[in-house]
Amino acid sequence: MDKLIIGIDLCDAYTQAAVAGRDETWVIPTVICRKKTDGGWYVGEEAYKYTLMSEGVIVDKLLSLAVKDGTATISSVKYQGAELLRMYMERILAMIRAEYPGVPVAQLVISLENMEMKLMDCLMGCADALGISRDLVHIASHTECFVYYVLSQKRDVWGGQVGMFSLSDEALRYYELKVVQGPRQMTAWAEHKDLEEGFSLNVLDSPSGARMADQILCACGERLLQKKLYSSIFLTGKGFGRTDWAPEFMKQVCHRRRVFAEPSLFARGAALKAGDYLEERSSYPFVCLCEGKLRSTVAMEVMKRDSRIQIALASAGESWYEARSVLEVILDGQEEIELIITSPQNPKQKRLVRIPLEGFPKRPPKTTRVRIAVGFLDERTMVVKIVDRGFGELFPKTDAEIRQEVRV
């Protein structure tokens, strides 16, 4: 192997890691401990071991701690949540690299249950601290990694509707995927639901608890799966590491359906996405519309060489976290910037958003250049920043600037 292609599913309870081309995955509790005797840092089962031996102080729920700007005090030293998460990630990557000494990281995709900007910024900061170029690191939602994993299978697995149950200590979730063949390209629509019936996996340790959990899943299956035709059903998460505790649920989902159990599906899907970044031509020729992705395309109409054209500032299917663009245009008497928003669902229906250039200097036509920068706070909220660039020495730039949030 000459390059490492890594997918990491990072959650508050457990972290799973997969390397492209490797059958086994790593499953590590998301905890870190500082050993009292040597001051060393340990993660996962080692962290639990030293804590049980009273030789270390453990910190858990590292993602939540980082998002809340929380701290943990260990041996009278206060550590920031972001710092503890960085040290945890450093040791996870060191563990993977130890299996492949001298092999550089070519791509890394981190899969998250919730796409929170503060956490994503923190993880990109971790990449910087670990010496991995940001160009090689991407963040994807669980839903997107579900899509990549399923669409890596044979077409008869995903030719119709696909459902999936994810069971972990954090939550019980249901996912759904439908691939639609359009006139120009395929669109993969995927979404998830958090189910209120979630339960702690500790209940599976007793026969009565397992029976109760089986009944809960059966009730969810009855509600979610009835009257729908599925190509396949997937089961993932630590709770489905084995399925013998849920005989009635398995009987229900397997009735006239193909069922696949893959506890590390999100990590494997992340690794598949990571590998696709290295291909000249994507192995997944579809627009993915799901959590973490833009649902609409944002464009501007401009004149170029006497022709009116549309320039896309952001495209449906892009990661909202990575979607950024800058465009400079010369105004020809316009007093507002007009954006065109379209959805793949209804490409003929266009929504116009006009941003008045209030506070900008009045100049003759074609003597004002403006810079338009676009970024996103989440998949539905676009931030547009418009800055006056003037027009040479004749019309110097001013401090005129507009920042506006737009729902897309």
Side-chain angles (χ1 to χ4, degrees):
M1 182 180 289
D2 59 354
K3 52 192 174 185
L4 268 176
I5 301 168
I6 305 171
I8 294 179
D9 175 26
L10 188 61
C11 299
D12 251 343
Y14 279 85
T15 294
Q16 300 190 57
V19 168
R22 178 188 174 110
D23 291 335
E24 299 85 6
T25 58
W26 291 268
V27 181
I28 313 103
T30 309
V31 295
I32 191 167
C33 153
R34 187 182 181 195
K35 195 176 177 184
K36 295 176 182 177
T37 53
D38 60 11
W41 293 91
Y42 299 88
V43 301
E45 298 297 344
E46 276 194 312
Y48 281 128
K49 180 182 75 174
Y50 290 125
T51 302
L52 290 172
M53 294 169 61
S54 299
E55 294 183 14
V57 178
I58 201 167
V59 182
D60 61 2
K61 298 190 182 301
L62 300 179
L63 278 68
S64 298
L65 196 67
V67 168
K68 296 174 182 175
D69 291 326
T71 61
T73 301
I74 304 173
S75 301
S76 302
V77 178
K78 183 182 287 186
Y79 294 92
Q80 297 293 324
E83 183 182 6
L84 293 171
L85 181 58
R86 176 189 61 77
M87 289 192 289
Y88 177 81
M89 290 295 295
E90 183 177 18
R91 280 148 186 80
I92 295 300
L93 286 170
M95 179 186 63
I96 297 172
R97 283 168 159 163
E99 299 270 341
Y100 304 91
V103 182
V105 175
Q107 286 289 330
L108 166 62
V109 171
I110 301 172
S111 178
L112 296 176
E113 188 173 65
N114 299 304
M115 302 283 280
E116 298 179 75
M117 179 173 276
K118 183 175 283 189
L119 177 58
M120 296 161 79
D121 287 343
C122 178
L123 289 171
M124 296 308 287
C126 289
D128 293 338
L130 298 175
I132 303 175
S133 169
R134 290 195 176 207
D135 294 338
L136 306 182
V137 181
H138 306 272
I139 299 174
S141 66
H142 275 183
T143 312
E144 184 180 0
C145 293
F146 160 58
V147 172
Y148 269 84
Y149 184 85
V150 172
L151 293 188
S152 71
Q153 311 300 312
K154 293 181 180 179
R155 192 183 184 101
D156 59 350
V157 173
W158 52 264
Q161 190 158 272
V162 180
M164 182 176 76
F165 290 90
S166 171
L167 177 61
S168 66
D169 268 319
E170 287 101 337
L172 172 60
R173 278 184 164 188
Y174 172 71
Y175 294 76
E176 211 163 77
L177 165 66
K178 180 70 175 178
V179 179
V180 179
Q181 179 67 62
R184 295 182 180 177
Q185 60 190 354
M186 289 191 299
T187 301
W189 301 88
E191 60 183 0
H192 79 269
K193 297 177 182 177
D194 286 305
L195 304 181
E196 296 179 356
E197 296 91 339
F199 50 85
S200 170
L201 299 185
N202 291 334
V203 304
L204 303 182
D205 295 336
S206 68
S208 60
R211 283 195 298 272
M212 179 194 71
D214 191 11
Q215 291 171 0
I216 289 172
L217 289 183
C218 283
C220 292
E222 179 69 25
R223 184 175 78 250
L224 295 166
L225 305 180
Q226 62 178 345
K227 298 180 181 179
K228 291 182 181 179
L229 296 175
Y230 289 87
S231 295
S232 56
I233 298 287
F234 285 80
L235 306 175
T236 192
K238 188 168 180 279
F240 289 120
R242 54 193 247 305
T243 57
D244 55 345
W245 58 269
E248 294 304 315
F249 174 69
M250 293 304 298
K251 188 187 303 181
Q252 180 190 64
V253 295
C254 290
H255 182 63
R256 297 182 178 179
R257 302 184 186 100
R258 302 177 69 181
V259 177
F260 304 89
E262 174 48 76
S264 301
L265 183 145
F266 297 129
R268 293 192 183 280
L272 289 165
K273 180 176 171 63
D276 201 51
Y277 281 111
L278 300 176
E279 301 294 333
E280 288 187 16
R281 187 175 180 179
S282 175
S283 302
Y284 302 84
F286 57 86
V287 174
C288 180
L289 300 180
C290 66
E291 181 187 7
K293 294 291 193 175
L294 297 179
R295 308 298 177 95
S296 302
T297 294
V298 182
M300 274 188 66
E301 202 169 73
V302 300
M303 293 294 294
K304 185 176 182 180
R305 297 190 182 92
D306 299 324
S307 297
R308 191 172 292 276
I309 63 169
Q310 279 194 12
I311 295 179
L313 299 176
S315 300
E318 273 190 277
S319 162
W320 67 261
Y321 187 72
E322 297 179 358
R324 299 178 185 88
S325 61
V326 177
L327 176 67
E328 287 200 354
V329 297
I330 295 174
L331 303 180
D332 189 8
Q334 290 93 344
E335 295 185 354
E336 60 186 17
I337 295 296
E338 186 176 87
L339 303 177
I340 305 166
I341 301 176
T342 56
S343 166
Q345 288 177 293
N346 300 296
K348 293 183 179 180
Q349 292 184 3
K350 299 180 180 180
R351 180 164 64 92
L352 300 181
V353 174
R354 296 181 174 88
I355 304 175
L357 297 175
E358 296 175 357
F360 275 59
K362 303 294 182 182
R363 299 186 181 119
K366 298 183 180 180
T367 60
T368 295
R369 189 169 83 252
V370 298
R371 173 175 291 170
I372 304 165
V374 169
F376 291 81
L377 299 179
D378 54 45
E379 62 200 48
R380 296 288 188 182
T381 310
M382 177 175 66
V383 176
V384 183
K385 187 177 180 181
I386 306 171
V387 179
D388 175 37
R389 300 290 292 165
F391 199 80
E393 295 180 2
L394 191 61
F395 297 99
K397 65 181 180 180
T398 67
D399 294 331
E401 181 180 302
I402 292 172
R403 181 188 183 278
Q404 185 164 321
E405 294 184 8
V406 177
R407 296 291 289 174
V408 296

